[in-house]
Amino acid sequence: MPLHFVILLIALTICNLSTAEAAKTPSAIEEATDRAALMELTRPGPEHARLKAFSGKWKVKLSIGSSNNTPPLQGVANAYMTMEDRFLWIGYQAKYQTRAFKGSFTIGFDRRHQHYVLIAMDTSGTYFVTSKGEADPDSGLIKLYGQDDDPYMESLGYTKEFAHVLDLTNPDHFSILVIFVDTRTPERRESTGMTFEFTRRSTTEKN
């Protein structure tokens, strides 16, 4: 076979392979666009700006249960954005007579999955719980569901499930409800366990 024909055949083969590879591989521009989109999701978004509006010092009222039979605990809270404006941290302490309660909520928004996330911990235990959920487009309330692998509940054959309901419609007054889910029956009845009401403190109020 003539040498020039061999060279032509090799050139055509390389050309065909390059065309096939190009069909499988995204262009450099497409790759750059995907990378830019992924990088954008790592940055705070409008939901985080909404959370930031609740930074500051607060008065807190903590009610136990759904009835008014027990006097609420009263106290103070401090809230600020952390992790470069990605999470709102709320630390609180409240008491009534000899009862005292301390804890924190960390609230964020996962832009990958488009839902809110919450981490809660307090002095009632040595563990933390998490929940996640979305905002209701009509009421604006955010309801987040979670589970906890509680050994006692598991020994009884049940799962421990709960929800947090956030009312963030007013930047000077917000609330967090802790709801317990009764997993013992198919109805899965929900009942209020605790209600946190936060009211923004004026600049003239002392600590």
Side-chain angles (χ1 to χ4, degrees):
M1 181 180 295
L3 181 60
H4 68 276
F5 186 78
V6 174
I7 295 173
L8 177 61
L9 183 59
I10 293 173
L12 289 172
T13 301
I14 293 174
C15 182
N16 289 336
L17 288 173
S18 299
T19 303
E21 189 65 26
K24 293 188 298 181
T25 306
S27 68
I29 294 177
E30 290 174 330
E31 287 182 343
T33 302
D34 290 342
R35 283 197 296 270
L38 290 173
M39 285 300 298
E40 172 59 26
L41 293 179
T42 68
R43 303 184 181 99
E47 294 81 7
H48 301 90
R50 179 187 182 190
L51 292 174
K52 190 173 184 177
F54 294 90
S55 300
K57 297 184 180 299
W58 302 83
K59 292 182 291 186
V60 59
K61 181 173 75 171
L62 169 57
S63 303
I64 309 296
S66 56
S67 67
N68 296 321
N69 296 333
T70 305
L73 285 72
Q74 305 280 352
V76 294
N78 186 32
Y80 58 85
M81 295 298 288
T82 185
M83 296 297 166
E84 298 180 351
D85 287 346
R86 287 169 172 80
F87 295 93
L88 175 68
W89 183 86
I90 306 166
Y92 62 85
Q93 54 182 344
K95 63 181 181 179
Y96 174 76
Q97 294 181 349
T98 59
R99 293 186 299 159
F101 196 70
K102 295 182 180 181
S104 68
F105 295 105
T106 304
I107 307 170
F109 185 79
D110 185 342
R111 297 188 69 191
R112 305 167 307 162
H113 299 106
Q114 293 294 298
H115 61 219
Y116 286 88
V117 294
L118 182 148
I119 303 170
M121 60 183 72
D122 55 53
T123 52
S124 67
T126 56
Y127 59 92
F128 62 89
V129 297
T130 65
S131 58
K132 58 185 178 182
E134 301 176 357
D136 182 271
D138 298 321
S139 66
L141 299 179
I142 304 168
K143 192 168 188 178
L144 310 94
Y145 283 95
Q147 294 185 4
D148 178 42
D149 57 344
D150 185 271
Y152 177 71
M153 291 285 288
E154 290 181 353
S155 71
L156 299 176
Y158 307 115
T159 58
K160 181 180 177 180
E161 299 185 31
F162 53 88
H164 294 100
V165 181
L166 313 182
D167 185 348
L168 304 180
T169 56
N170 185 342
D172 292 321
H173 182 90
F174 72 98
S175 64
I176 301 177
L177 270 66
V178 180
I179 294 176
F180 299 127
V181 181
D182 188 350
T183 60
R184 298 172 298 177
T185 63
E187 292 78 17
R188 295 172 57 84
R189 187 172 63 89
E190 298 183 356
S191 59
T192 301
M194 291 183 285
T195 302
F196 295 82
E197 294 183 72
F198 297 86
T199 303
R200 192 179 293 278
R201 296 166 61 193
S202 68
T203 55
T204 59
E205 290 183 85
K206 296 182 179 179
N207 293 335

